[in-house]
C-alpha cells in the first residue's frame, strides 16, 4: 500500500501528506526519546511485589534521566499529532505544495489545530505544557525555530522527513 501512495518524479519519489498516518510520525521520524540505562534487569524476583516495585522504580528512573537531560518525556502519540498539525498548517499556507522552511506559522493557531486533532484521535488531551515540551525538544534537535508568536520548520526537518520516509513530502 505504501508504494502505491508514492510516485516518482524528476527529483525522486514523492509521498502525499494525506497518506501519512498521523499517529505514527514521531516513531517514523526517529524522535522517540531513548533512555540509556546501565542497569541490567534482574532475571528473577523473590515475589510479585518485588517485581512490581522494580518496574515502578525503573519507570521513575527513566523519567528522571530524561528530565536530567532537560526534556520531559513526550508520548509518541502527542509528538506525532504535533508534527501532523504542524505539517497540516504548513500545507494550508503553501503557495507551492512542498515542505519548506520559509513558512511562518502562528503558535496559537497551531495549538488550536493540535488540540482539535488530538481530541479526534482517541480522545487525547493535549495541554499547553505538552505543546511547550514538544517545541523545546524539537528546537533542541534543530528541527524547528520559534519566535515569540511563531514557529517554522527548518531544513533539517525537511531532510529528516525525506530520509525517514525515503520520499519527498507533497501537500
Amino acid at each position: 500500500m505504501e508504494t502505491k501512495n508514492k510516485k516518482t518524479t524528476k527529483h525522486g519519489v514523492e509521498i502525499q501528506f494525506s497518506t501519512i498516518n498521523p499517529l505514527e510520525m514521531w516513531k517514523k521520524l526517529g524522535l522517540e526519546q531513548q533512555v540509556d540505562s546501565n542497569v541490567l534487569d534482574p532475571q528473577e524476583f523473590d515475589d510479585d511485589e518485588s517485581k512490581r516495585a522494580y518496574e515502578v522504580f525503573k519507570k521513575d528512573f527513566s523519567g528522571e534521566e530524561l528530565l536530567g537531560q532537560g526534556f520531559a518525556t513526550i508520548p509518541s502519540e502527542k509528538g506525532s499529532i504535533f508534527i501532523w498539525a504542524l505539517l497540516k498548517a504548513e500545507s494550508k499556507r503553501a503557495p507551492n505544495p512542498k515542505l519548506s522552511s520559509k513558512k511562518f506559522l502562528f503558535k496559537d493557531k497551531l495549538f488550536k489545530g493540535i488540540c482539535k486533532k488530538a481530541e479526534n484521535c482517541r480522545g487525547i488531551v493535549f495541554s499547553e505544557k505538552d505543546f511547550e515540551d514538544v517545541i523545546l525538544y524539537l528546537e533542541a534537535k534543530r528541527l524547528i525555530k520559534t519566535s515569540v508568536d511563531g514557529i517554522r520548520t527548518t531544513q533539517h526537518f525537511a531532510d529528516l522527513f525525506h530520509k525517514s520516509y525515503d520520499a519527498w513530502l507533497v501537500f
Side-chain angles (χ1 to χ4, degrees):
M1 181 168 115
E2 196 169 322
T3 56
K4 180 181 168 188
N5 296 326
K6 291 182 181 180
K7 65 179 184 176
T8 305
T9 62
K10 63 182 176 182
H11 64 271
V13 178
E14 292 182 344
I15 186 169
Q16 295 291 317
F17 178 66
S18 60
T19 63
I20 297 172
N21 183 340
L23 294 177
E24 293 179 0
M25 293 184 80
W26 196 254
K27 288 179 184 175
K28 183 81 173 180
L29 293 172
L31 295 172
E32 289 183 298
Q33 296 157 304
Q34 302 296 323
V35 178
D36 292 331
S37 178
N38 295 331
V39 179
L40 296 175
D41 292 330
Q43 299 300 318
E44 295 181 21
F45 294 93
D46 292 337
D47 53 28
D48 285 339
E49 185 178 348
S50 298
K51 183 177 181 179
R52 285 191 303 272
Y54 177 75
E55 289 169 356
V56 169
F57 164 76
K58 188 171 180 180
K59 185 177 178 183
D60 287 346
F61 178 75
S62 299
E64 286 178 18
E65 195 166 297
L66 287 172
L67 286 173
Q69 297 171 2
F71 301 111
T73 304
I74 300 167
S76 179
E77 288 181 334
K78 289 184 180 186
S80 293
I81 289 171
F82 180 96
I83 298 289
W84 183 91
L86 180 67
L87 293 174
K88 182 71 172 175
E90 273 201 29
S91 73
K92 289 180 180 178
R93 296 187 41 115
N96 87 27
K98 304 268 188 232
L99 183 57
S100 168
S101 60
K102 296 181 180 174
K103 296 175 192 104
F104 182 82
L105 307 168
F106 289 101
K107 286 182 182 178
D108 57 345
K109 289 184 179 181
L110 181 61
F111 179 68
K112 288 177 187 174
I114 291 170
C115 290
K116 185 177 178 182
K117 183 64 178 177
E119 199 167 304
N120 290 339
C121 291
R122 301 182 190 168
I124 299 168
V125 177
F126 200 93
S127 69
E128 287 185 46
K129 183 183 179 332
D130 295 327
F131 185 72
E132 289 300 321
D133 289 344
V134 174
I135 284 175
L136 289 172
Y137 182 70
L138 293 177
E139 201 164 33
K141 294 223 170 247
R142 299 179 19 206
L143 299 176
I144 62 170
K145 290 223 179 232
T146 61
S147 67
V148 174
D149 295 327
I151 187 171
R152 68 178 177 85
T153 59
T154 65
Q155 188 60 42
H156 297 290
F157 181 83
D159 293 343
L160 175 65
F161 189 94
H162 176 66
K163 288 175 188 168
S164 299
Y165 282 88
D166 197 28
W168 296 104
L169 178 63
V170 178
F171 296 119

